[in-house]
């Protein structure tokens, strides 16, 4: 009985010493697990913060690569282009020739990043318009974001609202964009009317 107890005591002490030695590693595993859970729940802002904290804790190369990959993906979702490219460049320096790293780089093409930015901009302007439909600058911003995302019908609607709210905030270039949209949809009278309103709003242009 005493021998068994003594063995248990020694094993417990050994596990305690190992736990103390590997506590930072265990904590990092927990952090990475938490980051993956937040990735599944689509929480990119929290992911960036947790990854940054874990990277500052001095992870080994393998964990650093995983954290950089997770943070780069989260930054893409947030539209933080420079940060995403920076993490990807660091990742590729650590893993030259690594197929996963190469695929990540290819996924961060200019078009993908631009689409992310456009989606983010549209969402932000939609929120502004929802909170204040009389915000002319938000309507203009929404129109441009919708146009970049290929939604011309909704862009025309936003331009129309902006022009009725404050014709002077609609620059000559914006009026021309609005007129072109109307004309491209066969509404030539509307396009001409938009150009005439632009002249009235900006007689010196």
């Amino acid at each position: 009985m005493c021998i068994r107890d003594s063995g248990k005591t020694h094993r417990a002490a050994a596990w305690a010493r190992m736990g103390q030695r590997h506590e930072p590693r265990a904590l990092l595993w927990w952090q990475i697990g938490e980051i993956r859970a937040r990735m599944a729940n689509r929480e990119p802002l929290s992911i960036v913060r947790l990854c940054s904290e874990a990277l500052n804790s001095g992870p080994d190369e393998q964990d650093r690569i995983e954290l950089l990959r997770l943070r780069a993906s989260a930054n893409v979702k947030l539209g933080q282009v420079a940060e995403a490219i920076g993490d990807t460049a660091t990742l590729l320096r650590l893993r030259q020739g690594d197929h996963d790293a190469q695929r990540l780089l290819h996924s961060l093409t200019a078009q993908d990043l631009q689409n992310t930015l456009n989606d983010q901009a549209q969402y932000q302007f939609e929120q502004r318009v929802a909170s204040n439909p009389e915000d002319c600058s938000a309507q203009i911003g929404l129109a441009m974001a919708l146009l970049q995302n290929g939604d011309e019908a909704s862009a025309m609607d936003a331009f129309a609202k902006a022009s009725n709210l404050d014709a002077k905030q609609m620059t000559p270039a914006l009026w021309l964009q609005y007129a072109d949209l109307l004309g491209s949809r066969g509404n030539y009278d509307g396009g001409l009317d938009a150009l005439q309103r632009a002249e009235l709003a900006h007689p010196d242009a």
Side-chain angles (χ1 to χ4, degrees), residues 60-74:
D60 62 23
E61 184 174 304
Q62 183 178 351
D63 288 332
R64 189 181 179 202
I65 288 168
E66 176 69 8
L67 289 164
L68 285 168
R69 181 178 289 111
L70 290 167
R71 190 169 71 176
S73 297

Side-chain angles (χ1 to χ4, degrees), residues 136 140 159-160 162-163 166-175 178 201-202:
C136 184
I140 292 172
F159 272 134
S163 67
D166 189 344
K168 289 187 179 298
Q169 275 201 53
M170 289 275 289
T171 65
L174 290 172
W175 276 110
Y178 180 36
H202 303 280

Side-chain angles (χ1 to χ4, degrees), residues 29-109:
W29 284 345
W30 176 86
Q31 285 175 306
I32 291 175
E34 178 72 8
I35 290 164
R36 286 174 175 153
R38 290 180 184 272
M39 184 72 81
N41 291 329
R42 300 181 179 179
E43 300 177 29
L45 195 59
S46 297
I47 292 165
V48 170
R49 178 178 57 79
L50 288 169
C51 283
S52 298
E53 291 173 357
L55 285 164
N56 289 334
S57 69
D60 62 23
E61 184 174 304
Q62 183 178 351
D63 288 332
R64 189 181 179 202
I65 288 168
E66 176 69 8
L67 289 164
L68 285 168
R69 181 178 289 111
L70 290 167
R71 190 169 71 176
S73 297
N75 274 322
V76 168
K77 289 182 172 60
L78 290 171
Q80 296 176 351
V81 180
E83 291 83 352
I85 291 175
D87 281 343
T88 306
T90 303
L91 178 60
L92 289 171
R93 283 197 298 271
L94 292 171
R95 293 286 292 273
Q96 291 182 2
D98 180 81
H99 294 301
D100 288 337
Q102 290 292 340
R103 280 195 293 270
L104 179 61
L105 177 63
H106 293 157
S107 71
L108 293 174
T109 61

Side-chain angles (χ1 to χ4, degrees), residues 129 133-144 146-147 151-170 174-179 181-182 187 190-191 193-194 197:
V129 167
E134 305 300 310
D135 185 343
C136 184
S137 63
Q139 292 284 4
I140 292 172
L142 178 58
M144 296 304 295
L146 289 164
L147 197 57
D151 190 349
E152 293 186 351
S154 298
M156 283 193 301
D157 183 56
F159 272 134
K161 290 176 180 176
S163 67
N164 290 329
L165 287 169
D166 189 344
K168 289 187 179 298
Q169 275 201 53
M170 289 275 289
L174 290 172
W175 276 110
L176 182 59
Q177 186 86 66
Y178 180 36
L181 281 172
L182 291 166
N187 188 357
D193 179 66
R197 292 175 64 194

